[in-house]
């Protein structure tokens, strides 16, 4: 019934969709298997993409030729650039999305992608031979042969849903769990664990009183994720607004009455939940001194009244949820569409993976998404993209594709997972990236488009657009470095901005380096500057301003990268025998032998490897 495929992708969530698209666009034949084709790229939790550090990941996916940015733009109902009051390294784009349109856009895109076939079924086993994956077996008994397999099972592996004392199997509310794979993988030598995540109740927006909440509008000048001209920013006049409200002591008192029936406190949930996205019961328990907690009231789309209650994730009994939520200002007459719930599922510690996301134990078998212990659409999507690329590269005997920590947040994420592992759901933050000033959301195209174009994903048109942006940016930078202004020209602006006047001619770059001064200020104050800058695109102006303002900091970070890259350049052979080096600590021998780092730099980042161990390695490598 089935021809042999180059790549079989198991699961059509955010990781699976990006994996299928990447492998297919590179030329591999792909079969995407999902348990429900009507739930492709389902937004199981909040209907939003991006946010702090996550927005940078979406832009990186887009620059690498993935679809998440395009789909997000097409389904945006509100856009906000977060952290604008902070430095540019912290700016993070975020969209509120139409949940149903997001899923529909993804399915349409995949159906229009050559080389992608679909099959609706559950995968319950792998076909392996001599340590190499050869295909999958489905619940309906179909055997599908393939050169590689990517597992992106999300929360479905032996998933259990908890609502108070009730518990039942499921990967999502109303959907059955997946069984068989975990047990086989354990037999094949893999370690597994349990994790937990949760979701809040959904509410009928018609039953809410918005006058009792704070309004949260989108940006006045909305942007978008994708660098492509295919999409446009959301219409400012049509943007949907969100709302903010707060819990109170009465809400907390009602919630506490359900703690005896809480699956988390009763010990029925064994898996660890996300530290940075705790349930409401966890918040009021851990932060008992707080009188209130913030609640974001988010619309689920253009044409629905359904509301996502962000900040109220819970697995308490449904009657407790209902009683408590009606005590929140604006929710006095709230009607519930469905209760919140927790879900517990299997994951596989990602230290069992290579940096390509291929497993050490089974050749050509890849893991991506929540199966690796991550949380979040964006974290899953970028892993899917990298797994899809590397599955194609493996099958066609091409070089592995690995992003460094200095090249992308995606590189930081995968490096963290593989070298440090995680025992709680991993979420990306700007603080995880030591080179975050280089890894900004505004320059993802400059960092990654050329790499993607060489791979065969980003188009030549995209590459030309990036080259023009770089050229325009350099022209603006050179103009500011060479052009001087007199005190009489610039002092009126400096006085207005509350910064010291100048007494002699200054270069424009020196004026711009002041924290109070922006490029736009100078452009509006000086006609000659405006005449020069006006023809350039806004993105080139922003890029130039950042390069000029943070020049010293950027140079320091580049030097740090060069220093680290020297260790990254010291390759370790795949058959290197770490166990034979007696001068290494026993912990180092065990961990290095298990994870088999590709470079000395990677070895240095493995948890438990000391500087002394690195020195021993360098000696044995003749360095």
């Amino acid at each position: 019934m089935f021809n042999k495929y180059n790549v079989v992708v198991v699961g059509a969530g955010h990781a699976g969709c990006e994996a299928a698209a990447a492998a297919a666009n590179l030329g591999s034949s792909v079969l995407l298997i999902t348990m429900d084709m009507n739930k492709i790229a389902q937004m199981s939790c909040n209907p939003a993409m991006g946010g702090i550090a996550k927005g940078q990941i979406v832009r990186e996916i887009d620059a690498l030729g993935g679809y998440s940015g395009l789909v997000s733009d097409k389904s945006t109902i509100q856009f906000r650039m977060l952290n604008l009051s902070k430095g540019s390294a912290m700016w993070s784009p975020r969209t509120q999305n139409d949940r149903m349109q997001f899923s529909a856009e993804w399915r349409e895109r995949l159906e229009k992608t050559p080389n992608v076939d679909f099959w609706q079924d559950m995968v319950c086993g792998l076909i392996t031979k001599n340590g190499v994956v050869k295909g999958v077996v489905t619940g309906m008994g179909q055997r599908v042969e393939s050169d590689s397999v990517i597992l992106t099972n999300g929360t479905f592996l032996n998933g259990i849903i908890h609502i108070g004392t009730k518990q039942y199997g499921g990967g999502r509310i109303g959907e059955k769990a997946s069984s068989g794979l975990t047990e086989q993988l354990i037999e094949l030598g893999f370690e597994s664990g349990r994790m937990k995540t949760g979701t809040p109740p959904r509410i009928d927006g018609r039953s809410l009183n918005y006058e009792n909440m704070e309004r949260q509008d989108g940006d006045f000048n909305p942007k978008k994720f994708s660098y492509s001209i295919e999409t446009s920013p959301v219409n400012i006049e049509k943007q949907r607004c969100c709302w903010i409200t707060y819990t109170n002591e009465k809400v907390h008192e009602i919630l506490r009455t359900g703690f005896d029936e809480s699956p988390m406190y009763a010990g029925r949930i064994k898996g660890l939940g996300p530290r940075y996205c705790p349930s409401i019961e966890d918040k009021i328990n851990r932060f008992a001194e707080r009188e209130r907690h913030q609640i974001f009231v988010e619309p689920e789309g253009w044409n629905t009244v359904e509301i996502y209650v962000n900040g109220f994730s819970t697995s308490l009994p449904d009657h407790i949820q209902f009683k408590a939520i009606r005590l929140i200002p604006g929710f006095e007459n709230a009607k519930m569409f469905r209760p919140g719930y927790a879900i517990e599922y299997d994951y596989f510690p990602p230290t069992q993976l290579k940096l390509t996301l291929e497993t050490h134990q089974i050749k050509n078998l890849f893991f991506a998404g929540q199966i690796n212990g991550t949380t979040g659409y964006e974290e899953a999507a970028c892993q899917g993209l990298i797994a899809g690329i590397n599955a194609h590269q493996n099958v066609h005997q091409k070089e592995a594709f690995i992003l460094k920590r200095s090249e992308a947040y995606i590189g930081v994420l995968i490096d963290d997972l593989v070298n440090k592992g995680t025992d709680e759901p991993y979420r990306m933050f700007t603080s995880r990236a030591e080179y975050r000033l280089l890894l900004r959301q505004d320059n993802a195209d400059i960092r990654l488009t050329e790499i993607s174009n060489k791979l065969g994903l980003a188009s030549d048109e995209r590459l030309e657009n990036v080259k023009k942006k770089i050229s325009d940016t350099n022209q603006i930078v050179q103009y500011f470095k060479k052009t001087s202004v007199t005190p009489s020209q610039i002092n009126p602006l400096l006085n207005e901005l509350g910064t010291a006047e100048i007494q002699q001619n200054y270069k424009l770059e020196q004026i711009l380096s002041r924290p109070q001064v922006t490029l736009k200020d100078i452009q509006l104050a000086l006609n000659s500057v405006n005449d020069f800058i006006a023809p350039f695109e806004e993105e080139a102006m922003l890029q130039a301003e950042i390069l000029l303002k943070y020049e010293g900091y950027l140079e320091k970070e580049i030097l740090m990268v060069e220093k680290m890259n020297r260790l990254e350049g010291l390759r370790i052979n795949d058959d290197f025998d770490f166990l034979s080096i007696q001068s290494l600590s026993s912990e180092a021998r065990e961990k290095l032998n298990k994870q088999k780092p590709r470079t000395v730099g990677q070895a240095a980042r493995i948890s438990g490897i000391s500087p002394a161990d690195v020195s021993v390695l360098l000696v044995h490598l003749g360095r």
Side-chain angles (χ1 to χ4, degrees), residues 344-608:
E344 197 178 11
Y345 55 93
D346 294 334
Y347 85 105
F348 292 83
T351 51
Q352 300 171 98
L353 302 175
K354 302 175 184 178
L355 289 170
T356 58
L357 298 183
E358 183 186 18
T359 67
H360 284 298
Q361 287 92 328
I362 303 294
K363 184 174 173 56
N364 291 335
L365 175 63
F366 295 79
F367 292 172
Q370 284 177 288
I371 191 173
N372 289 336
T374 60
T375 179
Y377 308 142
E378 304 82 0
E379 288 88 343
C382 72
Q383 290 174 70
L385 177 72
I386 299 302
I389 291 171
N390 280 308
H392 169 84
Q393 299 293 94
N394 265 23
V395 167
H396 295 88
Q397 290 81 50
K398 295 185 177 182
E399 186 179 357
F401 181 72
I402 296 170
L403 291 171
K404 299 174 185 174
R405 295 182 71 91
S406 57
E407 290 178 318
Y409 271 91
I410 298 173
V412 174
L413 183 147
I414 293 174
D415 189 83
D416 277 354
L417 292 175
V418 170
N419 292 320
K420 299 175 184 176
T422 185
D423 55 9
E424 62 183 47
Y426 178 102
R427 175 179 177 172
M428 179 51 69
F429 291 103
T430 51
S431 59
R432 295 192 191 271
E434 61 270 44
Y435 309 121
R436 53 188 169 274
L437 192 53
L438 298 177
L439 307 182
R440 306 182 309 276
Q441 59 82 30
D442 58 89
N443 70 350
D445 55 340
I446 293 173
R447 289 184 278 120
L448 300 172
T449 303
E450 185 173 0
I451 297 172
S452 177
N453 179 261
K454 288 178 180 176
L455 263 179
L457 284 175
S459 66
D460 291 340
E461 180 186 11
R462 279 214 183 190
L463 183 59
E464 289 305 313
N465 289 339
V466 170
K467 288 180 178 177
K468 183 179 185 305
K469 178 178 173 180
I470 294 171
S471 173
D472 290 351
T473 298
N474 289 338
Q475 288 183 60
I476 297 171
V477 167
Q478 290 308 310
Y479 177 82
F480 271 69
K481 283 180 175 290
K482 292 177 180 178
T483 305
S484 298
V485 286
T486 65
S488 61
Q489 285 178 302
I490 202 68
N491 278 344
L493 173 64
L494 300 182
N495 269 320
E496 182 184 335
L497 297 175
T499 183
E501 293 184 350
I502 60 172
Q503 305 303 320
Q504 61 189 38
N505 291 0
Y506 268 56
K507 297 293 185 187
L508 281 175
E509 71 166 327
Q510 294 173 286
I511 302 297
L512 185 59
S513 68
R514 298 187 180 193
Q516 303 91 335
V517 183
T518 68
L519 187 146
K520 181 65 72 175
D521 292 331
I522 297 174
Q523 182 184 358
L524 293 175
L526 301 176
N527 289 333
S528 58
V529 175
N530 183 60
D531 290 343
F532 177 80
I533 283 183
F536 293 107
E537 295 286 340
E538 186 178 349
E539 286 216 345
M541 294 185 207
L542 173 62
Q543 196 69 210
E545 182 171 10
I546 291 169
L547 294 179
L548 287 163
K549 269 190 176 295
Y550 298 98
E551 184 176 25
Y553 297 102
L554 289 165
E555 287 175 353
K556 285 181 183 178
E557 214 155 88
I558 289 168
L559 287 174
M560 287 171 59
V561 169
E562 290 173 352
K563 184 178 179 181
M564 180 52 69
N565 281 347
R566 286 196 284 274
L567 287 180
E568 294 295 342
L570 299 177
R571 292 296 302 271
I572 301 174
N573 291 334
D574 292 339
D575 58 355
F576 189 87
D577 185 6
F578 296 102
L579 296 176
S580 67
I581 307 176
Q582 295 302 311
S583 46
L584 284 171
S585 68
S586 57
E587 180 184 7
R589 290 199 302 273
E590 180 184 333
K591 289 188 173 180
L592 290 168
N593 186 63
K594 181 179 178 181
Q595 295 183 228
K596 300 189 184 305
R598 294 164 56 94
T599 68
V600 175
Q602 184 189 350
R605 292 191 299 276
I606 294 173
S607 178

